[in-house]
Amino acid sequence: MTPLLSVEKLNVFYDAFQAVHDVDLTVGEGEIVSIIGANGAGKSSFLKALVRQAGRVTGSARLDGCDLAALSTREIVAKGIALVPEGRKLFPTLTIFENLRIGQELGRKGDIGFEQVYEWFPVLRERRDSRARELSGGQQQMVALGRALLANPRLLLCDEISLGLAPRVVNELYAIIPQVRERGVAVVVVEQDISRSLAVADRFVCFLEGEVSLSGRPADADRDTIMQHYFGGAH
Amino acid sequence: MVETILNLIVQGVLIGGLYALFALGLSLSLGVMRFVNIAHGDMIVLFSFVLLSLTGVLGWSPFLVALILLPVAFGLGWLLQRFLLQRTVGKGILPILLVTFGLSIIIQNGLLEAYGPNTRKLSGGAIELAALRLGPIDVGVYPLLVFLLAVALIAGLDAFLYRTAIGARIRAVADDPAAADLIGLTSARIYPVAMGVVGITMLVAASCMSVWTNFDPSIGPSRLLAAFEAVVLGGLGSLWGTLIGGVIIGVAQNFGSQIDASWQILAQHLVFLVALVFRPQGLFARS
Amino acid sequence: MSTPMLLGARAILAAGVLACLAGPWLFDANSLTVLTEFFIVVTLALMWNLLAGYADIISVGQQGFVGVGAYAFFGFTALLHMSVWAAVPLAALTTLLIAVPVMAVIFRLRTAYLAVGTWVAADVLMLIAGKLPGFGGGSGTSLPIPVVKQFGARLGDRIDMFYALSLGLALIAFLATWALLRSRIGLGLTAMRDNEEAAGSSGVDLVRTRILCFLWTAPFLGLAGVMTALEKLRVAPTASFNITDWTIDIIFIVVIGGIGSLEGPILGAILFFLLRQWLADFGAWYLILLGVISIGVILFEPKGLWGACRRWGFPDILPAGHAPGPGAPERVAGPDAQEAPAARTVG
Ligand SMILES: Nc1ncnc2c1ncn2[C@@H]1O[C@H](COP(=O)(O)OP(=O)(O)O)[C@@H](O)[C@H]1O
Ligand SMILES: [Mg+2]
């Protein structure tokens, strides 16, 4: 069986600077993979490279056997990869509803609709006509997640969705992920908060200066080994 | 005395409708693409000359010709953005300003070569002379219709931007083009659409102007300045504000013109500068 | 890169300056007049380049201060009967004094808006000039003969004198701007040219530097205005505040020559004068051609001719102190260049 996503020797360059080196990664259908790594390790660059939004990208990335290199971001999203960008990246003057609808319009046809998203995040229904910038950080993150989910992705990419949020809100957001997986959606979770993302993941990869320094199952890895590969040899 | 003043105000308000038409496209390109198109006025003048030629050949009313040309105007705006202006996106303000500046000079001098320096005017037919008596003052039917057209165009644009899906996409890109790109809402495909809409407003403005006032190849810049002042006065991002801005410009001009032709422009600029000092964000800024 | 090339270039430059200094003995009256105009244009180009190339201000209203200088000179000499030698510095000072309130008002506009704001301001100054009593209204007026004669009793002497004055102006404008760019302020300006966000975050006070540059150009523009009045022997709103001569042509010169270098504006001015000799008969076509060329330059070689020379390994003949070498990084132009914090630019 071919994996849903298979990445081989992926590199990302910003002019002369290389942010991601020869990364290999596969993600199976319905699998949750966590990418951890320090600030600047190249996690966001890797996610953005999957949707062709990071500098110059070389190497191969395939979704269900289909080469992504030949596609534009728009086509990749329509094929079933949705990104929840770092920093949420909502459209501040658009209403919640408009933000969500744009996600839906750009995505795949599927069974996740507004009703489902409102069920996961009831507050979004209440505030559907508020502008995005009027919401709290946690609510904004719900919109960002909802926007991506409405695209009915086969692969959901979450970039630091817990950043700057209160633990209670983070719990609420992370509670959704297993439910999403149950629908057969694969999820890649990027976090700096190691324990949070290892708890939800089937597998993890650790990035160090743009390279994969460690990978495995959360249960098999002890904290010291992870720390060592998270911060590099010095620690 | 009161009558004269009232008359000046009413006529000023009406010509403000024409200025609002000049300004709408500029307001859009500023609001969505965040650049000042230095060639804005010249493109309006270019459209006026196109109408001049076509009405000459066809012998039709300029308004009918303009109506038929609307898709062409959209296409021109689209092409301009897609193949020229889009190349400067994301590189700061300097390239886009200079490219539109170059365009402005090319259009002005191209029109000068093609049509010579003489002033022109199009005939709108009997409607130009019709007038309504409203209490103590005479109001031209044509200026009134232009004003109503401006109001209708603003209402239409407002509905387009705030009630349609494509309008929401345009506003999304205006909010944050990088964010739009990240989720597959390609800003490079949205900008040309917005510029196409700008092209339509330019053609409408051109048809109204060319029947109302004289024009020649050199008047583009003064139209740009008036449009710019209307936009800044009204406040960025507010189309209705742009209408009010146009009205203020029109009234100021009308009072200035009581002294002489250069006071007409001077009054316009001074009102703008004073407003800038006291309310730099404009009267109806959407913050 | 190569020292012989640099030395050669500097030798040509030195020879050029020397030839200019010896101008009155080398050239005939006709050439001297053309060169006088050339130096005025070089001065204007240096000023526009300082704003556009370093301070990120696109001025479409440079002609406003040129006109103010011309009118001030006329006022001090023809109306107040001052000596021309007092009037010249006073005209520069007047331009500076007028630039202050203009700056205070139009600097409420940011970036792209500011460009049109400078244009409005120049329009206002021109319209006011046409209203001033004693200056001939909208059609302008000639400089009185006695004023002109103070520069030399004979025509030939005056041509030499005007030549010397405009050469002096261009040299001072050049050296002063060079010194500004090499100063601590210049360091900030160069940082601003290379990456505005970086300059902002590294503590350079952007607004104050911008204001300084804007005011810096005013007296030089005013002096150039004095020279235009002397050259034409009259002042008039449309001529003294002429947007084509004092701004549009200048923008073409700097864009084609190379924005953001000291060599670019000079190179552009030389090219402009050569082109104009050949193409002057083509009238409007000439400006259309310049428009097309400059759009092409902006799109394909944004740093102009001099930028191309730099890329081919030609060294800066006149390094402005903090210029980056040819290998230095440009701005990041990735799909997310807008969101990339400047600090990410390697360098
Ligand atoms: N647009 C960009 N231009 C230049 N360098 C960038 C850009 N985006 C990221 N980088 C650099 O790439 C490296 C990886 O960044 P990033 O992918 O954001 O890491 P992470 O998400 O792991 O914190 C960092 O050194 C960062 O400075
Ligand atoms: Mg990151």
Side-chain angles (χ1 to χ4, degrees), chain C residues 288-346:
Chain C
I288 294 175
L289 179 72
L290 286 181
V292 172
I293 294 179
S294 70
I295 289 181
V297 167
I298 294 290
L299 293 183
F300 301 110
E301 191 62 68
K303 294 285 167 187
L305 268 181
W306 190 252
C309 293
R310 264 185 189 157
R311 261 196 307 118
W312 298 328
F314 211 81
D316 284 6
I317 306 176
L318 312 157
H322 319 285
E330 293 282 309
R331 281 188 200 189
V332 188
D336 48 4
Q338 280 146 312
E339 58 153 1
R344 283 179 176 169
T345 321
V346 208

Side-chain angles (χ1 to χ4, degrees), chain A residues 38-45 48 86 159-160 190 192, chain C residues 344:
Chain A
N39 201 359
K43 308 181 296 294
S44 298
S45 299
K48 289 196 274 183
E86 190 173 8
D159 199 347
E160 303 211 23
V190 163
Q192 285 187 52
Chain C
R344 283 179 176 169

Side-chain angles (χ1 to χ4, degrees), chain B residues 94 113 236 260 262 269 277, chain C residues 58 108 113 123-124 131 285:
Chain B
L94 192 110
E113 276 299 325
L236 181 62
D260 64 31
S262 60
H269 289 333
V277 169
Chain C
I58 314 262
R108 289 167 177 268
Y113 299 80
D123 226 24
V124 168
K131 299 259 160 245
W285 285 111

Side-chain angles (χ1 to χ4, degrees), chain B residues 248-265:
Chain B
I248 294 175
I249 296 281
V251 172
Q253 276 201 358
N254 241 8
F255 276 93
S257 70
Q258 290 305 103
I259 307 176
D260 64 31
S262 60
W263 263 108
Q264 181 177 348
I265 310 297

Side-chain angles (χ1 to χ4, degrees), chain B residues 200-276:
Chain B
I200 288 181
T201 71
M202 286 172 165
L203 177 60
V204 173
S207 62
C208 292
M209 173 188 83
S210 53
V211 170
W212 191 329
T213 64
N214 289 333
F215 59 95
D216 67 68
S218 71
I219 64 157
S222 67
R223 298 302 178 274
L224 166 70
L225 293 193
F228 174 79
E229 290 170 339
V231 172
V232 176
L233 267 174
L236 181 62
S238 162
L239 294 176
W240 293 107
T242 298
L243 178 66
I244 307 288
V247 164
I248 294 175
I249 296 281
V251 172
Q253 276 201 358
N254 241 8
F255 276 93
S257 70
Q258 290 305 103
I259 307 176
D260 64 31
S262 60
W263 263 108
Q264 181 177 348
I265 310 297
L266 205 48
Q268 166 200 330
H269 289 333
L270 291 179
V271 165
F272 165 73
L273 292 174
V274 168
L276 193 56

Side-chain angles (χ1 to χ4, degrees), chain A residues 141-198:
Chain A
Q141 191 66 71
M142 290 172 192
V143 179
L145 200 52
R147 180 176 68 182
L149 287 169
L150 275 168
N152 279 289
R154 307 179 65 190
L155 174 65
L156 177 70
L157 310 173
C158 298
D159 199 347
E160 303 211 23
I161 53 175
S162 70
L163 199 70
L165 301 180
R168 191 181 48 77
V169 184
V170 179
N171 289 339
E172 216 176 310
L173 291 165
Y174 267 90
I176 306 301
I177 291 184
Q179 303 184 33
V180 169
R181 174 242 291 273
E182 253 150 52
R183 297 172 165 265
V185 179
V187 187
V188 175
V189 181
V190 163
E191 279 292 350
Q192 285 187 52
D193 179 347
I194 302 175
S195 47
R196 166 76 64 190
S197 69
L198 291 194

Side-chain angles (χ1 to χ4, degrees), chain A residues 9 23 75-76 90 115 144 151 176 185 214 225-226:
Chain A
K9 294 206 175 308
V23 168
E75 291 161 331
I76 293 173
L90 298 182
E115 280 312 311
I176 306 301
V185 179
L214 182 69
T225 325
I226 294 181

